């Protein structure tokens, strides 16, 4: 019988929260490189759930243009994603798409216009 190298009493090396935070940070970093002036002072934050309900839809992010702040809500993004394949790559794409859509909302652009050259090879 073999056991994990970390042992049963140590925390996992990569939790869902860590993966979510790293995915948001990498997508935000990518967008900062593309839009350095517009996103220079923008803060990206992660919260578990929205503080208050706004209508029937559950918010996946909130944008505060006057504060240059974007808050992404981890649980709605993770649990309400309708993935056709539930694997790591598709979960990461769902998170990245929310980051792109939140930044697009902040900048007043279409999400596809944020990185137009990225998809030209298709």
């Amino acid at each position: 019988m073999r056991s994990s190298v970390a042992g049963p009493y140590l925390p996992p090396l990569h939790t869902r929260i860590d993966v979510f935070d790293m995915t948001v940070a990498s997508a935000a970093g990518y967008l900062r490189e593309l839009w350095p002036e517009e996103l220079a002072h923008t803060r990206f934050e992660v919260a578990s759930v929205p503080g208050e309900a706004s209508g029937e839809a559950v918010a996946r992010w909130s944008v505060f243009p006057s504060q240059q702040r974007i808050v992404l809500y981890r649980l709605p993004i993770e649990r309400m994603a309708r993935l056709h394949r539930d694997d790591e790559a598709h979960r990461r794409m769902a998170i990245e798409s929310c980051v792109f859509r939140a930044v697009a909302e902040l900048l007043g652009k279409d999400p596809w216009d944020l990185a137009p050259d990225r998809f030209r090879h298709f």
Side-chain angles (χ1 to χ4, degrees), residues 66-79:
S66 62
Q67 302 171 2
Q68 285 290 304
R69 183 168 70 114
I70 295 173
V71 181
L72 294 131
Y73 303 115
R74 183 178 61 82
L75 291 175
I77 291 172
E78 287 180 340
R79 301 221 173 130

Side-chain angles (χ1 to χ4, degrees), residues 28-114:
Y30 175 71
L31 289 170
R32 280 184 202 268
E33 289 176 8
L34 295 175
W35 300 89
E37 294 175 13
E38 292 84 349
L39 299 177
H41 302 292
T42 303
R43 290 185 323 189
F44 291 86
E45 301 174 6
V46 175
S48 295
V49 292
E52 56 188 57
S54 58
E56 294 180 18
V58 177
R60 288 173 175 78
W61 65 83
S62 294
V63 176
F64 303 96
S66 62
Q67 302 171 2
Q68 285 290 304
R69 183 168 70 114
I70 295 173
V71 181
L72 294 131
Y73 303 115
R74 183 178 61 82
L75 291 175
I77 291 172
E78 287 180 340
R79 301 221 173 130
M80 298 178 77
R82 294 186 178 109
L83 304 175
H84 67 278
R85 179 176 284 160
D86 191 15
D87 61 3
E88 185 178 342
H90 287 84
R91 286 189 296 270
R92 183 179 174 109
M93 284 189 284
I95 297 166
E96 289 172 346
S97 76
C98 289
V99 175
F100 268 69
R101 290 186 292 172
V103 169
E105 184 178 327
L106 177 72
L107 299 179
K109 299 188 177 296
D110 186 70
W112 290 100
D113 293 337
L114 295 178

Side-chain angles (χ1 to χ4, degrees), residues 11-25:
L13 298 176
H14 293 288
T15 64
R16 285 183 310 189
I17 296 170
D18 294 336
V19 171
F20 188 90
D21 290 345
M22 287 188 294
T23 304
V24 168

